[in-house]
Amino acid sequence: LKITVISVGKLKEKYWQAALEEYRKRLGRYCRLSLIEVADEKCPEKISPAEQEIVKAKEADRIRGHIPRDSLLVTLEIQGKTRSSEQFASWIDGVPHRGRDHITFLIGGSLGLDSGLCRSSDLALSFSPMTFPHQLMRIILLEQIYRAFRINRNEPYHK
Amino acid sequence: LKITVISVGKLKEKYWQAALEEYRKRLGRYCRLSLIEVADEKCPEKISPAEQEIVKAKEADRIRGHIPRDSLLVTLEIQGKTRSSEQFASWIDGVPHRGRDHITFLIGGSLGLDSGLCRSSDLALSFSPMTFPHQLMRIILLEQIYRAFRINRNEPYHK
């Protein structure tokens, strides 16, 4: 299985970088993982709704160029569908049975994802009704994908 | 406001420690924060349900001794109530109006919290139907408390 994660903005903090590296390393045993960062748009504190849409549209343009053609597309959205870890693992497990071998996950920037991108996704996935920092979301996502592989292979995993 | 977070087991990874320190530092402006770690019980990979209950009961005993007497008790439970960040912020904001000035959050170990502890809590709070590593939960919780204070004071916060 190939997994691509496209996210907006550079991971700035050293501790997030180190946590990400740890899960990237662990995932290497289970899939071909590709992590892509696209540049974020400058986003002032006071920004009108119209300007927000422009920021998200520009970020979406950068994201689109990186979405592999034949991949299943999963957008991370606070209003998306919630899944338990077991349900998420089962969904990943089913992807090859649907004749697909590639999943692309999209994580938006500080304003979230462009609505056009969200409409084109195969699964809108919500991790929580709470808002988490988008930088931390990359780690939470990789950890959950790693957990999914462990569940699917019946391998023990200390929570 | 005083906030106590009691969790089970030592934070092992340097990157989690660094992330925790960052949010502890940020929270210093908003509350009197106390982070308490109690020892975890050894937990073998193959463990019967009865043995799991014993592990959780022992950890609960250690936790109980640290719960400040007059604090509101919040247990983190996967089956608890979900809240948006704004709802959680509003709940925290309401605590002083209920004549209370102290909140204690409990995060269980790898098996979760003892059911007796959960029954005695004032709020069972779920961050997600997904299982997250209990070590990462400390950081997710502190970040969300920090976010709550920023929301309640109308201070900007980059997600």
Side-chain angles (χ1 to χ4, degrees):
Chain A
L1 199 66
K2 285 174 273 186
I3 290 185
T4 297
V5 177
I6 307 176
S7 46
V8 176
K10 271 209 162 315
L11 261 199
K12 280 175 210 140
E13 308 296 344
K14 284 231 170 77
Y15 45 84
W16 295 152
Q17 291 168 1
L20 193 83
E21 278 313 310
E22 172 64 24
Y23 286 106
R24 184 212 290 265
K25 200 174 66 189
R26 292 192 198 180
L27 274 166
R29 288 184 50 205
Y30 299 99
C31 61
R32 273 175 49 201
L33 178 67
S34 170
L35 301 180
I36 297 169
E37 278 179 358
V38 304
D40 50 359
E41 271 297 294
K42 265 186 196 152
C43 182
E45 276 175 20
K46 306 276 180 197
I47 180 172
S48 73
E51 288 166 325
Q52 291 191 13
E53 293 310 310
I54 294 170
V55 164
K56 289 193 279 184
K58 284 186 181 168
E59 292 173 345
D61 279 344
R62 290 173 201 151
I63 290 172
R64 274 196 198 89
H66 290 285
I67 302 174
R69 200 173 171 79
D70 291 323
S71 62
L72 273 175
L73 191 61
V74 180
T75 42
L76 268 59
E77 305 179 37
I78 198 160
Q79 309 285 6
K81 288 178 185 157
T82 55
R83 294 276 184 270
S84 69
S85 297
E86 290 73 20
Q87 290 168 332
F88 179 60
S90 163
W91 183 84
I92 288 184
D93 200 40
V95 167
H97 304 293
R98 296 160 70 183
R100 310 294 279 269
D101 69 346
H102 198 157
I103 310 172
T104 299
F105 292 91
L106 304 187
I107 304 174
S110 60
L111 299 174
L113 285 169
D114 176 74
S115 58
L117 268 183
C118 293
R119 275 194 300 274
S120 69
S121 81
D122 296 293
L123 173 65
L125 181 64
S126 175
F127 276 62
S128 174
M130 288 173 165
T131 306
F132 296 150
H134 68 285
Q135 301 216 330
L136 176 54
M137 268 315 302
R138 290 179 217 184
I139 293 144
I140 292 175
L141 171 64
L142 287 194
E143 191 279 331
Q144 204 62 213
I145 297 171
Y146 172 70
R147 182 180 298 269
F149 283 115
R150 303 287 287 191
I151 291 171
N152 289 337
R153 301 201 182 189
N154 268 312
E155 292 170 342
Y157 181 50
H158 285 289
K159 298 166 200 165
Chain B
L1 199 66
K2 284 174 274 185
I3 291 186
T4 297
V5 177
I6 307 176
S7 46
V8 176
K10 270 211 164 313
L11 260 199
K12 282 175 209 139
E13 308 296 346
K14 284 231 170 79
Y15 44 83
W16 294 153
Q17 291 168 1
L20 193 83
E21 278 313 310
E22 171 64 25
Y23 286 106
R24 184 213 289 267
K25 200 174 67 187
R26 291 194 199 177
L27 274 165
R29 287 184 50 206
Y30 299 99
C31 61
R32 273 175 49 200
L33 178 68
S34 169
L35 301 180
I36 297 168
E37 278 178 359
V38 304
D40 49 359
E41 271 298 295
K42 267 187 195 150
C43 183
E45 275 174 21
K46 305 277 181 197
I47 181 172
S48 71
E51 288 167 325
Q52 291 190 13
E53 293 310 310
I54 293 170
V55 164
K56 290 193 279 185
K58 283 186 182 168
E59 291 173 347
D61 278 344
R62 290 175 200 147
I63 290 171
R64 273 195 198 89
H66 290 285
I67 302 174
R69 200 173 172 78
D70 291 322
S71 61
L72 274 175
L73 191 61
V74 180
T75 42
L76 267 58
E77 306 179 37
I78 198 162
Q79 310 284 7
K81 289 178 185 157
T82 55
R83 295 275 184 272
S84 69
S85 296
E86 290 72 19
Q87 288 169 332
F88 179 60
S90 163
W91 183 84
I92 288 184
D93 200 40
V95 167
H97 303 293
R98 296 160 70 184
R100 309 295 277 271
D101 68 347
H102 198 158
I103 311 172
T104 299
F105 292 91
L106 304 187
I107 304 174
S110 60
L111 299 174
L113 284 169
D114 175 74
S115 58
L117 268 182
C118 293
R119 276 194 299 274
S120 70
S121 81
D122 297 293
L123 172 65
L125 181 64
S126 175
F127 276 62
S128 174
M130 288 173 165
T131 305
F132 296 150
H134 69 285
Q135 301 217 330
L136 175 53
M137 268 315 302
R138 289 180 216 183
I139 292 143
I140 292 176
L141 171 64
L142 288 194
E143 191 279 330
Q144 204 61 215
I145 297 170
Y146 173 69
R147 183 181 298 270
F149 283 115
R150 302 288 287 192
I151 291 171
N152 288 337
R153 300 199 183 190
N154 267 313
E155 291 170 342
Y157 182 49
H158 286 287
K159 298 167 199 166

